[in-house]
Every structure is written in C-alpha cells, then in structure tokens.
Amino acid sequence: MRVRTLVALAVVTTGAVTALAVGCENKHEANQQQQGGGSGNLGASASLAELMKARNLSEADVEAALKTYVPTGKMDEYYIFASGGQSGNVDVIGVPSMRLLKVIGVFTPESWQGWGFGGDSDKILDQGNQGPHKIRWADMHHPNLSETKGDYDGEYLFVNDKANARVAVVDLKDFQTKQMVANPLAASDHGGAFVTPNTEYVIETSQYPAPLGREYAPLGQFKEKYRGVAIFWKFDRQKGRIDKEKSWALELPPYTQDLADAGKLDSDGWAYINSFNSEMAVGGTLEGKPPIESGASQNDMDYLHVINWKKAEELVNGGKAKTIAGMRVLTMDVSGAEGVLTLVGEPKSPHGCDVTPDGKHVVVGGKLDTHTTIYDAAKMKQLIEQKKFEGKDGFGLPIMAFKEAIAGQVEIGLGPLHTVFDDKGNAYTSVFIESVVAKWSYKDYKKPVEKLKVQYNIGHILAAEGDTVSPDGKYVVAMNKMSMDRFLPVGPLYPQNFQLVGIDGEKMRLLADMPLPNAEPHYSQMIKADKIKPLKVYKVGTNALGEADPTRVEGGKERVVRNGNKVEVFMTAIRSHFTPDQVEVEEGDEVTIHLTSLETAEDQTHGFTIDMYNINVSLEPGKHENITFKADMPGTYPMYCTEFCSALHLEMTGYFLVKPKKR
Ligand code: K7E
Ligand code: CUA
C-alpha cells in the first residue's frame, strides 16, 4: 500500500506532540487508516479523515485548503487591488485567503467610510464632475499601481472610469482617494490607468470616438470630426497628485482604442494601444444598416498604435501642440510625420495589450482570433527610425508591415484576451470563449504548454506582480465573468468569480473560488504585502487630503462662532462624547462643523451623523472633517456616533436644533 504523505500535522494529544501523516491516495485508504488505528494518537487522524469523508473532500481539496487557509492572527502574503467595475470602488483582497479586506471609496459614495456624505470627500468627488452633472458612479476597469523602475513601489494606485472618462489617485498610505481628474476631451475611456515605468505619466486612452471636447457633430461627419485621444497625465510624485498643467494628449484616429500598456526596460519611452473598429462602423440598425458589432468585424486587420511618448513630450514642450478644451494636444499631422504615432496591423478584433517583463515584446490577443500576436519592440523601433512603412491609413498615419513587426504568433484557442507573466518566462493568457487559462512560453512562442479549465468565461487575468519587470510567479487569478453553478443561487444576477490558481507546481492548480458580489471587476493587480506600509493612525487634525487641516480643533478650544447667518462649530470627538454636544442654529443658516477626532489609539474610530441631513463621516483616529450644509429643515435632530467605539458608544450623542424662522 502506497500512502503518499501530504502534510505532517502536529497534533497535541494529552500533552504529547505527535507528527501524523495525513492524506492518502483515496478514501478507501483513509478509511483503513482510520479503522486500523488502535493507539490513542490515531484519534486525531481519524477525525481528520472522518472530516474529509463527512464533508466529501478529496485529497486535492484538502491540499488546496492547506495552501490557502490563513489561520486567525496570520497575515496574507499578497494584496489584490481589484477594479470594482460598476460599483466604482476598489476591492482590496488578501491572497491566498481570498478574503475581502477593504472596499476603497473612489468614484461612488461609500457610507461606512463617510465617502461622499457631507465631509471633505465631497470635494474630491466633485473634482470628477463632468459638465453640470454630479457624477456618483463609475465603470472602473483598470487599476494600476505606481512603479519605480518598472516595479510596483506600493505608494499609489490609479484607476479609470470608462463611463465618464475620469482617472482617480488613491494614496496607499491611508487607502484613501486623494484626487480625481476629469478628461476634458473624451466621453469614455478604456486604456487606463496605465503607468510608465517610473510613474512619470498615467495614461488614459479614450474608448468610443467622439469629437474632441465632446462637441456635437453628426455621425455623417465621423471621419472628419470624430477622434480618439490618449491623455498623458503627468504625475507629481512629490505632491502625490496629477499635475493637470503639465499633462498633454495625443490625437488618435477614430478607431476604437482599447487597452494600453507602457514599454519598459528596452522599450521604455514607448507606449502601445490596441484598437478595433478600424471600419469606423457607427451602426444605424433602425435604417436597416448593420449593427456596430458586425460593421466593426469586417476588416482582417485593425491597428496597434505604437507611440514614442518621450518624443511626444519633447514636441509638446517645444510648443508643437494645439490647445483643445484647455489641454495641449499633439495632432496627427505632427505625430504621424515625426514618428510619434505609427500603426501596425493586428488580427481581428484585438483585445489585451501586454508588454513582457523584459520589455522586448508586446502581446495582443484577439476576441475573434485564435492567436496571440507577439510584437517585437526593437524591430518596430527600427522600422520607425528607418521610416520603413508599407503605406498610410486614411489619416496619413504610417503603417508598418505586420510580418516585419512581429516576433511570432501562438495558437492559443478561442478568444484569447489578456496576458500576464511569471518569473520563469511563461505567459498566461485568459481565453474567454474556451474558459481556460493558457500557459505558454513567451521565449519561444510554442503552443500552450498547458490549459486549465476555469469557471466560467474568464475576462481579465492577473498574476503576482505579473506585469512588472520582475514577476513573482506563484499565483494567477482568473477573473471570471460568470459563476453559474459555483455558489449558492442568489437570483438572476450572479456574482463574478475570482479563481485563485497556484502556478508554482508542475501543473497549474485551481485553489479557491471567491465570489465578487458587488460588480464586475475588470483588471486587478497583485502586490507583495510587505511593499504596502499604511498608516495606523493619523496625526491629530489630518484631513481627507492627508494635510494638517487649518481648522483642526484642539481639546479645550471647542467653540461656536456666529457671523451673520454663517455658523461655524469647532467640535472634537473622543471616547465617548462630542464637544459641543448641543448645537442650535436658525433655519436657513449655513453651518460648517469642523470636527477633529482627538483619538490617537489604533482602530479607535468614531463616526458622526446628523439624522435626516444625509450627513455621515468616518473619524479614524486623528482624522479631521469639515462638514458644510444649509440648516434648511427646522426641527430637532439627534446627532450621534455611528461606529460602536466603546462601552458608552450609545451615549456618544447630542442634539442639533434648528429653530424655525419667524413667518
Ligand atoms: Cu474588461 Cu480590460 Cu475593460 Cu478585457 S476589459 S475583460
Ligand atoms: Cu464613538 Cu461610537
């Protein structure tokens, strides 16, 4: 009988520590082991075998459990920062446990964090307004961690909003959103937020073409007036903010630009954007014209955009750009002639655009193709330098010959989308229609060496530090669009499914499922946990921007200051009271509450609400909030702490009185 030792468990039995071999080839052996036990030690082993039997767990299940179980008090090894899709917020997940650690309020109000309920975060959310609209949702697609020399440095996270063309900056010192920039040129974006290797720029590329600045133009003028655009948002590392003044953009042809990635190492200074709908189909189904989906799938080739951003930066700073909607834009006549923007064919309906860790290649998938295409960055650079082109597109942009620009193609399967990498020269491509992860070598472009079935319809894929210059290997996560029979049914809207895959063994192994119940995530990134060093408490008086607020309140200096119909309340919070705890104003007064938490102890959070006024802020230790509103409802309103902070939490309350105007 061959008993394969799976794991040695140290079992404490009546004072003795005994190592027990657990796990057998099959249940039969498990039962034998269980029944054959005569000594006292086997009780523990028997109970484990029994447990396996009772829960119908195979040896593989137990192995997966042991690889992912993180006992109480122990920490995960990695963080995942996942786009929260239509929730507009970021999900933070621990790996390998696949436990949800936090939801960072970004584009969408998040009431626990008091994100968007009357405090300073309202001003950050307002930075993302477009026109007269207070936009309070997002379709978040691609989170990107800041990089130094092409490696994640754990300082910032950038995310995009496809639906309203915005980019946000999250500071990983406190996991809080600090800034939003609204794209002035495009209505939708997609290829963002991708960073250059030293986070010089955060790239945001439009998705659906429209006249730049979103002006009206009839669809009949599509070719003349509609355009794509890539904004290079300049990131000021010192300030931790995007500098709008130093940002600029590239005008792009009205193809539907899709994913983007920045070159690194050998290809540093370059950026790549794939596109589809080079047919420029606009539909017209009511007039009997083909829908966009078929109109956009006619050509055999669409175009990969190859961009020399270092040269573009020089030209823009040299005054070669035109100002549109307040943004410096390098137009196609300049960028095409200067070798800044060059096209090369990509097979049918491409998706995904991923630069390999060595920076030598760009991998593009194809939704309607069975290949991934591997472009050679050095060859393309040479072709552009030598001006070796095979023609021009309808906008005068030079086109390189496909055959001369590529290093090879790999037959992957039905619907390859995105590709990530490990530390051994392997690429992992998500294959949507086939629902598999395809592992292949990006060194010799052979057929996939292995395919792993996932459940179901994998979209994006992520790997541990998988798109840096030094991936970790170890884990891949399949981000599946469907979960079908994986979880308890919850009605017709199903959760998404993240499946953790172990890639450190001979074969890929499915280790765990995680339902994503709050929206459809697109891309995510996984970073080594020790690279993230968040604050535990704030310095007393720190506001939402991370600065010492000028109106922070010291203990003993609480007061109410009236100035005409303006009332300023300088308030503090500490276990378990607010000072002052009675505030009376007149109907119609403009009230500002400057509220400082005087707490300095870890995890001692208070909240503050005034009932019926749609106000709720979170006061982490040391946090300061400024809450401004109009006292437009006369009446009597309790205000109270919304976080169970102490034994006398329920007593942490007071009254906000609004005296009616004399009528
Ligand atoms: Cu969902 Cu990156 Cu927006 Cu592919 S994209 S899946
Ligand atoms: Cu403070 Cu509850």
Side-chain angles (χ1 to χ4, degrees):
M1 184 175 77
R2 189 169 68 96
V3 176
R4 180 149 66 87
T5 302
L6 178 63
V7 63
L9 271 189
V11 179
V12 183
T13 50
T14 55
V17 179
T18 315
L20 281 179
V22 178
C24 327
E25 282 298 305
N26 54 42
K27 287 214 186 88
H28 174 67
E29 285 175 358
N31 288 338
Q32 275 192 340
Q33 195 185 27
Q34 177 195 338
Q35 283 153 9
S39 89
N41 291 344
L42 285 180
S45 137
S47 66
L48 193 62
E50 259 166 30
L51 199 58
M52 282 172 70
K53 196 174 161 206
R55 296 208 59 218
N56 200 15
L57 298 177
S58 67
E59 182 185 312
D61 294 335
V62 174
E63 189 187 339
L66 291 174
K67 283 190 164 166
T68 54
Y69 178 61
V70 177
T72 183
K74 297 257 168 75
M75 302 288 161
D76 276 303
E77 208 183 330
Y78 286 92
Y79 288 94
I80 289 176
F81 290 90
S83 92
Q86 303 90 332
S87 81
N89 293 335
V90 168
D91 294 332
V92 185
I93 298 158
V95 176
S97 73
M98 302 306 275
R99 293 178 295 194
L100 183 63
L101 303 175
K102 187 159 199 172
V103 175
I104 305 174
V106 184
F107 293 115
T108 305
E110 204 287 326
S111 48
W112 175 47
Q113 292 160 43
W115 186 253
F117 294 93
D120 289 321
S121 56
D122 286 30
K123 293 168 212 154
I124 299 171
L125 281 157
D126 279 341
Q127 294 172 355
N129 292 344
Q130 290 279 24
H133 296 284
K134 266 187 183 273
I135 297 177
R136 291 296 182 266
W137 87 283
D139 184 11
M140 186 188 290
H141 278 235
H142 305 108
N144 245 236
L145 291 154
S146 57
E147 294 180 9
T148 300
K149 292 185 180 155
D151 211 353
Y152 302 151
D153 53 39
E155 291 189 353
Y156 296 94
L157 181 76
F158 307 95
V159 292
N160 77 311
D161 168 13
K162 166 166 165 165
N164 311 291
R166 302 174 299 164
V167 166
V169 181
V170 177
D171 191 337
L172 296 178
K173 270 203 292 296
D174 60 354
F175 284 54
Q176 292 249 354
T177 304
K178 290 289 182 311
Q179 184 188 23
M180 251 167 236
V181 287
N183 187 322
L185 297 166
S188 65
D189 71 26
H190 194 246
F194 292 99
V195 301
T196 52
N198 285 301
T199 322
E200 299 95 333
Y201 288 102
V202 182
I203 305 171
E204 183 199 16
T205 303
S206 62
Q207 179 122 68
Y208 306 115
L212 296 189
R214 303 190 286 262
E215 272 159 32
Y216 169 80
L219 284 160
Q221 297 175 5
F222 195 85
K223 200 183 161 198
E224 305 82 73
K225 300 254 172 89
Y226 284 55
R227 290 294 177 263
V229 68
I231 295 192
F232 285 70
W233 293 107
K234 180 82 189 150
F235 187 60
D236 183 330
R237 178 78 73 143
Q238 229 63 48
K239 297 203 177 102
R241 302 284 187 276
I242 283 168
D243 185 339
K244 287 200 236 173
E245 298 300 306
K246 290 193 177 140
S247 304
W248 46 271
L250 280 181
E251 179 195 30
L252 302 176
Y255 312 140
T256 305
Q257 282 80 22
D258 195 26
L259 271 300
D261 203 357
K264 51 190 157 222
L265 299 173
D266 288 2
S267 55
D268 190 7
W270 294 80
Y272 308 92
I273 306 168
N274 76 290
S275 70
F276 60 95
N277 197 8
S278 54
E279 297 85 351
M280 297 181 277
V282 294
T285 42
L286 216 51
E287 280 93 63
K289 291 182 194 147
I292 295 173
E293 59 169 322
S294 66
S297 309
Q298 300 304 306
N299 296 350
D300 282 337
M301 289 281 191
D302 290 294
Y303 294 114
L304 179 71
H305 299 37
V306 182
I307 292 162
N308 184 340
W309 67 257
K310 286 232 164 116
K311 188 149 184 198
E313 182 184 53
E314 268 170 42
L315 292 169
V316 170
N317 291 334
K320 293 273 157 47
K322 192 169 133 184
T323 299
I324 304 173
M327 172 78 71
R328 292 174 299 166
V329 183
L330 203 62
T331 51
M332 287 190 284
D333 52 335
V334 183
S335 59
E338 296 280 353
V340 161
L341 175 57
T342 311
L343 306 176
V344 58
E346 8 170 53
K348 270 191 169 318
S349 297
H351 195 58
C353 176
D354 299 287
V355 175
T356 53
D358 56 14
K360 290 190 194 313
H361 298 109
V362 187
V363 181
V364 175
K367 301 185 293 269
L368 301 178
D369 195 44
T370 55
H371 297 91
T372 54
T373 302
I374 300 112
Y375 292 83
D376 188 316
K379 279 191 195 170
M380 293 195 290
K381 193 174 159 194
Q382 210 177 34
L383 290 170
I384 293 165
E385 273 163 10
Q386 296 170 351
K387 295 194 191 291
K388 261 186 86 183
F389 306 123
E390 66 169 16
K392 285 189 173 170
D393 79 337
F395 301 89
L397 296 172
I399 304 171
M400 293 178 263
F402 177 70
K403 286 251 145 59
E404 288 177 43
I406 68 167
Q409 285 187 295
V410 185
E411 173 96 42
I412 295 278
L414 283 180
L417 300 181
H418 302 279
T419 302
V420 288
F421 308 93
D422 70 8
D423 53 338
K424 298 183 187 71
N426 293 307
Y428 300 80
T429 299
S430 57
V431 191
F432 181 77
I433 299 170
E434 245 180 75
S435 293
V436 298
V437 171
K439 175 180 172 183
W440 52 280
S441 159
Y442 68 86
K443 303 284 182 195
D444 55 13
Y445 333 119
K446 289 213 182 99
K447 279 184 143 346
V449 290
E450 197 190 340
K451 280 188 180 182
L452 177 75
K453 185 93 192 132
V454 290
Q455 286 87 13
Y456 302 90
N457 289 34
I458 176 172
H460 265 283
I461 182 167
L462 70 122
E465 310 235 336
D467 46 21
T468 67
V469 293
S470 62
D472 282 5
K474 216 158 175 180
Y475 300 113
V476 152
V477 176
M479 304 171 67
N480 305 319
K481 304 286 185 196
M482 295 183 184
S483 60
M484 312 277 270
D485 52 5
R486 296 293 105 174
F487 307 111
L488 287 176
V490 289
L493 182 59
Y494 284 60
Q496 305 269 310
N497 187 6
F498 275 13
Q499 288 190 303
L500 181 68
V501 177
I503 58 166
D504 49 356
E506 250 319 88
K507 294 232 159 220
M508 291 188 275
R509 273 284 310 274
L510 215 46
L511 297 176
D513 284 15
M514 178 195 182
L516 275 291
N518 52 350
E520 179 205 353
H522 291 260
Y523 189 44
S524 305
Q525 288 190 331
M526 195 194 304
I527 179 173
K528 199 88 209 285
D530 60 15
K531 285 187 175 176
I532 307 267
K533 298 195 172 65
L535 295 174
K536 294 214 160 109
V537 298
Y538 289 108
K539 200 162 169 238
V540 171
T542 304
N543 62 22
L545 294 172
E547 295 156 358
D549 197 276
T551 60
R552 63 191 181 276
V553 188
E554 271 174 54
K557 302 245 175 94
E558 297 90 348
R559 62 207 184 272
V560 177
V561 180
R562 286 171 205 279
N563 193 350
N565 67 343
K566 287 202 164 72
V567 182
E568 278 186 285
V569 182
F570 294 83
M571 189 186 276
T572 60
I574 192 159
R575 274 161 289 165
S576 299
H577 52 273
F578 295 106
T579 310
D581 53 7
Q582 299 169 355
V583 177
E584 182 162 328
V585 301
E586 309 269 331
E587 179 185 359
D589 280 353
E590 191 195 296
V591 181
T592 301
I593 300 175
H594 306 287
L595 175 51
T596 304
S597 166
L598 301 177
E599 300 285 355
T600 52
E602 191 175 341
D603 210 2
Q604 284 299 337
T605 297
H606 300 285
F608 175 79
T609 182
I610 299 176
D611 292 355
M612 309 298 184
Y613 268 89
N614 200 32
I615 287 166
N616 184 44
V617 296
S618 170
L619 296 163
E620 298 90 74
K623 183 86 171 292
H624 178 88
E625 285 279 0
N626 300 291
I627 306 157
T628 300
F629 61 100
K630 198 162 178 213
D632 51 8
M633 276 191 305
T636 303
Y637 305 98
M639 45 190 199
Y640 72 92
C641 171
T642 53
E643 183 93 15
F644 202 103
C645 53
S646 67
L648 295 176
H649 152 76
L650 293 174
E651 287 79 354
M652 194 166 174
T653 181
Y655 282 99
F656 179 70
L657 304 166
V658 184
K659 206 171 158 191
K661 259 190 197 143
K662 291 212 183 75
R663 289 172 212 270

